[in-house]
Amino acid sequence: MSEVAIAKKAAIVEEVTEKFSAAASAVIVDYRGLTVEQVTELRKQLRDANVEMKVIKNSILVRAAEKAGLNGLEEVFSGPTAVAFSNEDVVAPAKIIDEFAKTADKLEIKGGIIEGKVASIEEITALAKLPNRDGLLSMLLSVLQAPVRNVAYAVKAVAEKEDEVA
């Protein structure tokens, strides 16, 4: 192998290592058996959520995972492998891929990374069941508003009772 080719591969390994390190989450999938249209649709859905999906050689993934300190992914990197990286939303790649896998039964989640830690298939599917960031914020807002709303109802009830007495 020429020195130029080795340098190119080293640069790719470094790039993938940075993606692994910077990712809030990454989901590793086997896309074998999907049609071109299905892959295009999956990429579109991921792109709309600011998630980047890359098809990367397994040998490069193994080296990059080692450099990023992610041990235990070697057995996941076999066969056709694509990785969906999200730097912002931890839930987005898992949720989108899990939903897409329900209609495209050939799509298989092989594992992933959640906030710098290797995650199993079960952990990725559990993550996919969580609400997204907007849903969590909505739930938090609802919880924060409840005491204020209850006080308002109590004040209104007291005011109505006083009106009835008068």
Side-chain angles (χ1 to χ4, degrees):
M1 192 180 277
S2 72
E3 289 181 28
V4 174
I6 292 172
K8 283 183 182 177
K9 284 190 179 190
I12 294 170
V13 167
E14 194 59 40
E15 179 187 341
V16 175
T17 302
E18 288 174 19
K19 286 185 182 299
F20 277 141
S21 298
S25 70
V27 178
I28 303 159
V29 297
D30 182 346
Y31 61 93
R32 184 182 1 207
L34 293 182
T35 65
V36 173
E37 292 82 19
Q38 288 174 317
V39 173
T40 304
E41 178 60 27
L42 176 60
R43 284 182 185 266
K44 180 189 176 306
Q45 289 179 21
L46 290 168
R47 198 173 32 254
D48 290 346
N50 291 325
V51 178
E52 178 184 20
M53 183 170 140
K54 291 246 185 213
V55 175
I56 305 168
K57 283 184 163 187
N58 290 323
S59 59
I60 291 173
L61 288 170
V62 169
R63 288 189 182 103
E66 274 180 21
K67 283 184 90 172
L70 301 167
N71 301 320
L73 287 173
E74 295 80 19
E75 66 274 358
V76 173
F77 299 135
S78 63
T81 304
V83 184
F85 298 99
S86 175
N87 294 344
E88 300 164 7
D89 190 352
V90 176
V91 178
K95 184 175 274 312
I96 292 168
I97 289 172
D98 188 59
E99 281 297 314
F100 195 84
K102 290 176 183 172
T103 59
D105 57 339
K106 300 281 186 191
L107 184 65
E108 177 187 339
I109 297 173
K110 299 185 341 182
I113 301 159
I114 301 171
E115 295 183 341
K117 306 280 187 252
V118 175
S120 67
I121 298 168
E122 293 79 22
E123 291 169 321
I124 297 294
T125 52
L127 182 66
K129 291 177 182 19
L130 290 176
N132 63 8
R133 185 177 190 279
D134 293 337
L136 289 172
L137 288 175
S138 172
M139 291 166 83
L140 176 65
L141 184 61
S142 201
V143 167
L144 293 175
Q145 284 180 336
V148 174
R149 188 174 41 241
N150 291 341
V151 168
Y153 286 144
V155 169
K156 181 180 176 188
V158 168
E160 287 175 354
K161 191 169 191 170
E162 287 181 7
D163 284 346
E164 288 175 7
V165 171

